[in-house]
Amino acid sequence: MPDTAATKDPLLQPLTIKHLTIRNRIMSTSHACGLHDNGMPAERYQAYHEEKAKGGIGLSMFGGSSNIASDSPNTFQQLNVGVDEVIPHLQRFSERMHRHGAALMCQITHLGRRGDSYSGDWLPMIAPSHTRETLHRAFAREMDRDDIDRVVKAFGDAAWRCKEGGLDGIETLAGGHLIGQFLSPATNKRTDEFGGSLENRCRFGLMVYEEIRRRVGDDFLVGFRFVIDEGLAGGLTHEDCLAIAEMFQESGTLDFFNAIYGRMDTALSLAKDNMPGMAMPIAPWLEKAAKFKRAVKLPVFHAARISDLATARYAISEGLLDMVGMTRAHIADPYIVKKLEAGEADRVRPCVGATHCMSEHRPTCLHNPSTGRETRLPHVIPKTDGPTKRVVVVGGGPAGLEAARVCAERGHDVSLYEAAAQLGGQVQLAKTASWRGDIVGVVDWRAQELDRLGVQVHLNRYMEMADVAALKPDVVVIATGGVPDTDWIPGAEHITTSWDVLTDTPTGGEEVVVWDGTGRHAAPTAVERLRQAGATVALYSIDDMRIQEQAYGERVFWKKRLYELKVDPKMDRRLMDVRRDGNRLIARFENEITTEVEEVSADRVVVEHGTLPMDQLYQDLRAGATNGGRMDLDALAAAAAQPSEEDHGDGYRVYRIGDCVTSRNIAAATYDALRLCLKL
């Protein structure tokens, strides 16, 4: 039963809009989660949202930018609500969510100029005026009256399909999408009845909502995900947006606003305004949303990096919002509400704002490997139905911490040994970047969970084969990480690693060359640290794009940071060798495209090329292991139990995970740990 004190929490109070009562004030806003099947919300998509319903969420919105027409194509893994085939999927989806007490709504839209002309049916994009959005690159043609009437009808048809599907409501999206393109003077250059004055620019959107309301009636909620300030010279001001909101509100077609701030037509504006990550403060636009709420009559929802319960509670208790969106927070932990109700808010797995869920691997979470894999991996770890085991985990980075957590949740006797004085491994280096301090939450949460689960954690313990054998384990998980990979470089004895830079205090006044051979965070973090110390830095990279391996939300902030540091990277450069020349070093690079060779003189040459496995303990232990140290990769991929038919003797089994296998990232390390240990 819910904790009595928790039930008085403002976040747990219901909200009634018309006929619908939403059980609490916490929601997940619509987003393109990437789990569609041919544009339909089938099993994977539904299971992903259903987990939030099981976890107690009040309202889950889905279908981030679900398309209503063929000239609004699937540009970023959206749903298609422009065809009747979606209705049975929506009906099954609604039934599943309602069974757990959660409300369900969909966002429907036409992308306008934001679409990709070479997606879907390869149709030309349309917009109020002939303009181009550089992010998605289409040159849109100006809509004529036939286009306007056709799209208005398509909005009504899509809303009807959602109602037929048993949903509780829908919203449309303004911002950089078609309705918003009509509203904004930055994108609407028309001189007819749909352009010019504010009233004229609202005409198309008002027609859309009148048609939607005509098709769905009054017993279905209709909302507007509405930009409250474009933050753009020549765009909509806050005062403009208030005037527009008043017109839509007075039309009687709306039931709520879902407030967003800023633009979405560049990578930076998406990462800064719409979906801010750890480079931005918590809830950066909350006060602006609150100012908007004070000026309108309808309920106001809002989401933008409201990732902690304290901020969410403040937003509701102070009347700043009516519903608080904790979208990425639920990607990290879909059981936020259940934990809050049980008085276990301190156990919520925090969203650290890494934006991995915004990568091409969406919605996979850097912090929670079960997210997006609900049909195969549980969020709540079940107890073992077999004998409990003595499990020894060596290594206290993300892989080792997750392995220890999962094994302990299974009910095994777990001990963890870490050679360093603190847990975290490379995360302790990653957090030193000026805007990446929150990444340590990946470590801190797991350390807290290990303490709760009674796992024995031993620091400053460098383990050798005899040390492990003396513990008489049933299973040994080696997660000892890696060491910088530099031995392959002729002249490696002269170079400095990125780790050296991040663990030492750089010397000011040096001329330093940094070579990025991974496209990850380490090289730009080293550049930042060197520049802050007063060094002159030249950055060279093997890739043809800055910080290529990261999600766009992180990549664009590093790009911005490099501009601020006045470091202009040279791309497509392969490091060939490093040699000494007196008291200087010469780094030799080959241009990957032209094969031109360039020599650069510097005081220091810093190299980032990932890691080599630090696996000596694993190699020592495997000879005595009953499984010979073998990992069945098919079983691992299926999150199935490792086969035991190859075991010899009654000793221990040994496995290795994370960078102890090869150089990858936190998401891969925690994923391997979960799917290995889930069936131990």
Side-chain angles (χ1 to χ4, degrees):
M1 294 293 292
D3 177 84
T4 302
T7 59
K8 299 178 181 178
D9 193 309
L11 291 171
L12 298 179
Q13 305 312 305
L15 174 68
T16 298
I17 305 175
K18 281 187 171 176
H19 63 283
L20 179 67
T21 297
I22 302 170
R23 60 181 169 181
N24 56 56
R25 302 301 184 97
I26 298 176
M27 67 180 291
S28 172
T29 53
S30 54
H31 54 288
C33 68
L35 296 174
H36 69 97
D37 289 310
N38 196 29
M40 297 292 114
E43 177 60 27
R44 293 184 308 150
Y45 199 105
Q46 293 179 29
Y48 164 70
H49 280 274
E50 186 180 18
E51 205 70 27
K52 304 174 193 179
K54 293 177 183 177
I57 200 166
L59 166 64
S60 196
M61 283 188 163
F62 71 96
S65 309
S66 296
N67 293 305
I68 64 165
S70 56
D71 56 356
S72 180
N74 190 329
T75 301
F76 33 88
Q77 304 185 62
Q78 299 117 293
L79 299 182
N80 181 6
V81 292
V83 293
D84 289 349
E85 286 80 0
V86 76
I87 295 174
H89 292 282
L90 297 179
Q91 290 170 339
R92 289 189 291 272
F93 195 0
S94 299
E95 192 280 326
R96 290 172 74 160
M97 298 296 284
H98 292 157
R99 183 192 315 149
H100 301 291
L104 184 66
M105 298 187 192
C106 181
Q107 181 186 99
I108 65 175
T109 198
H110 193 295
L111 294 171
R113 71 174 195 153
R114 191 169 171 76
D116 179 354
S117 293
Y118 310 116
S119 294
D121 295 320
W122 281 50
L123 296 173
M125 298 300 97
I126 57 174
S129 306
H130 175 69
T131 57
R132 186 192 196 206
E133 189 204 76
T134 55
L135 184 62
H136 291 95
R137 313 197 66 76
F139 286 93
R141 70 171 177 83
E142 182 172 299
M143 296 169 67
D144 60 25
R145 184 57 193 247
D146 287 341
D147 292 317
I148 288 172
D149 292 341
R150 171 178 60 83
V151 173
V152 167
K153 181 178 183 301
F155 267 107
D157 291 343
W160 172 83
R161 293 184 188 103
C162 290
K163 184 176 182 181
E164 286 293 297
L167 305 187
D168 297 293
I170 58 99
E171 68 174 11
T172 72
L173 174 60
H177 291 216
L178 185 59
I179 295 175
Q181 292 161 27
F182 269 94
L183 296 177
S184 176
T187 47
N188 185 345
K189 307 299 182 183
R190 301 174 74 101
T191 57
D192 64 1
E193 60 185 316
F194 293 95
S197 69
L198 199 64
E199 292 77 7
N200 282 357
R201 284 185 274 121
C202 287
R203 191 180 309 277
F204 172 74
L206 289 169
M207 289 170 61
V208 166
Y209 276 102
E210 287 164 2
E211 177 66 9
I212 288 174
R213 187 57 77 188
R214 185 183 74 81
R215 295 299 306 277
V216 301
D218 291 331
D219 59 344
F220 188 70
L221 296 193
V222 177
F224 199 178
R225 194 162 194 179
F226 181 71
V227 62
I228 57 175
D229 187 336
E230 284 194 300
L232 165 69
L236 292 169
T237 66
H238 180 68
E239 290 69 26
D240 292 334
C241 293
L242 288 179
I244 293 168
E246 176 67 17
M247 278 188 251
F248 279 84
Q249 187 172 252
E250 292 304 309
S251 73
T253 58
L254 291 184
D255 297 309
F256 64 86
F257 287 107
N258 191 351
I260 56 174
Y261 173 85
R263 304 163 57 188
M264 58 174 64
D265 58 349
T266 69
L268 180 60
S269 61
L270 271 178
K272 173 176 169 287
D273 296 348
N274 274 220
M275 292 173 278
M278 70 171 78
M280 293 289 289
I282 295 295
W285 314 124
L286 177 57
E287 291 302 322
K288 292 183 181 295
K291 182 179 178 182
F292 175 78
K293 174 176 166 50
R294 289 192 291 270
V296 298
K297 301 172 185 175
L298 294 174
V300 174
F301 307 168
H302 174 63
R305 209 182 176 214
I306 303 177
S307 54
D308 64 291
L309 286 168
T311 302
R313 184 177 295 110
Y314 165 74
I316 297 300
S317 65
E318 296 300 312
L320 308 184
L321 302 174
D322 296 287
M323 288 288 292
V324 60
M326 302 186 72
T327 309
R328 281 174 290 170
H330 275 82
I331 290 175
D333 191 340
Y335 284 78
I336 291 173
V337 175
K338 287 292 188 187
K339 291 176 180 178
L340 178 59
E341 289 175 339
E344 297 180 338
D346 59 328
R347 288 199 55 223
V348 171
R349 185 189 319 231
C351 171
V352 299
T355 71
H356 188 77
C357 57
M358 293 156 56
S359 73
E360 63 271 23
H361 308 296
R362 67 182 65 178
T364 56
C365 177
L366 191 78
H367 200 351
N368 186 347
S370 297
T371 294
R373 302 178 176 114
E374 285 77 12
T375 58
R376 297 185 295 115
L377 295 174
H379 285 269
V380 179
I381 306 300
K383 294 293 184 184
T384 181
D385 55 5
T388 58
K389 300 178 178 69
R390 178 173 294 177
V391 179
V392 172
V393 179
V394 184
L401 290 168
E402 179 68 358
R405 182 189 75 87
V406 175
C407 287
E409 290 279 17
R410 296 280 284 155
H412 299 308
D413 177 12
V414 183
S415 55
L416 181 145
Y417 296 83
E418 165 57 43
Q422 60 182 340
L423 298 170
Q426 294 179 57
V427 174
Q428 298 296 344
L429 300 180
K431 74 177 186 181
T432 63
S434 60
W435 56 275
R436 300 196 70 232
D438 288 353
I439 194 70
V440 78
V442 170
V443 173
D444 291 346
W445 179 79
R446 286 179 168 82
Q448 177 181 293
E449 285 294 285
L450 295 192
D451 182 62
R452 179 184 67 83
L453 292 163
V455 173
Q456 302 173 55
V457 175
H458 306 271
L459 301 176
N460 297 304
R461 289 290 299 274
Y462 181 85
M463 301 293 282
E464 296 184 335
M465 184 171 66
D467 301 317
V468 174
L471 297 171
K472 300 188 183 305
D474 298 305
V475 178
V476 183
V477 180
I478 305 297
T480 44
V483 292
D485 177 16
T486 58
D487 289 347
W488 58 275
I489 306 170
E493 67 274 15
H494 303 307
I495 66 101
T496 301
T497 71
S498 58
W499 290 22
D500 295 330
V501 173
L502 300 180
T503 54
D504 295 338
T505 302
T507 303
E510 287 186 312
E511 292 183 4
V512 183
V513 167
V514 175
W515 182 68
D516 184 1
T518 64
R520 300 175 185 172
H521 290 288
T525 305
V527 169
E528 179 182 65
R529 189 171 177 85
L530 289 162
R531 288 291 290 132
Q532 288 172 333
T536 300
V537 181
L539 175 60
Y540 289 72
S541 174
I542 188 68
D543 296 318
D544 63 0
M545 180 190 299
R546 294 170 175 88
I547 330 302
Q548 186 160 331
E549 196 165 310
Q550 302 310 311
Y552 76 85
E554 296 178 296
R555 187 166 60 242
V556 72
F557 271 104
W558 272 127
K559 184 177 181 180
K560 179 175 181 286
R561 188 73 181 115
L562 291 175
Y563 275 123
E564 292 169 348
L565 295 170
K566 296 183 170 31
V567 174
D568 187 13
K570 293 190 175 182
M571 315 308 293
D572 299 310
R573 302 308 206 277
R574 179 179 297 279
L575 178 62
M576 299 174 68
D577 54 54
V578 179
R579 71 177 188 273
R580 181 162 291 284
D581 181 19
N583 63 351
R584 302 271 286 179
L585 298 177
I586 305 295
R588 201 158 60 103
F589 298 97
E590 181 182 62
N591 188 303
E592 290 273 278
I593 309 302
T594 67
T595 71
E596 179 184 355
V597 174
E598 177 182 4
E599 292 190 344
V600 184
S601 175
D603 297 310
R604 267 209 287 177
V605 176
V606 177
V607 171
E608 163 54 30
H609 194 250
T611 58
L612 284 175
M614 193 161 61
D615 64 351
Q616 188 59 56
L617 179 59
Y618 165 78
Q619 300 297 347
D620 291 343
L621 287 168
R622 65 183 304 182
T626 61
N627 67 332
R630 287 181 292 276
M631 177 90 78
D632 186 303
L633 296 182
D634 291 334
L636 182 70
Q642 289 290 310
S644 58
E645 58 268 17
E646 295 183 357
D647 281 9
H648 303 285
D650 297 322
Y652 58 84
R653 296 177 134 225
V654 64
Y655 303 99
R656 59 174 172 167
I657 56 175
D659 281 3
C660 186
V661 180
T662 192
S663 183
R664 294 201 289 170
N665 62 16
I666 294 172
T670 56
Y671 183 24
D672 282 354
L674 173 60
R675 54 185 174 172
L676 169 67
C677 297
L678 186 61
K679 296 299 176 65
L680 284 181

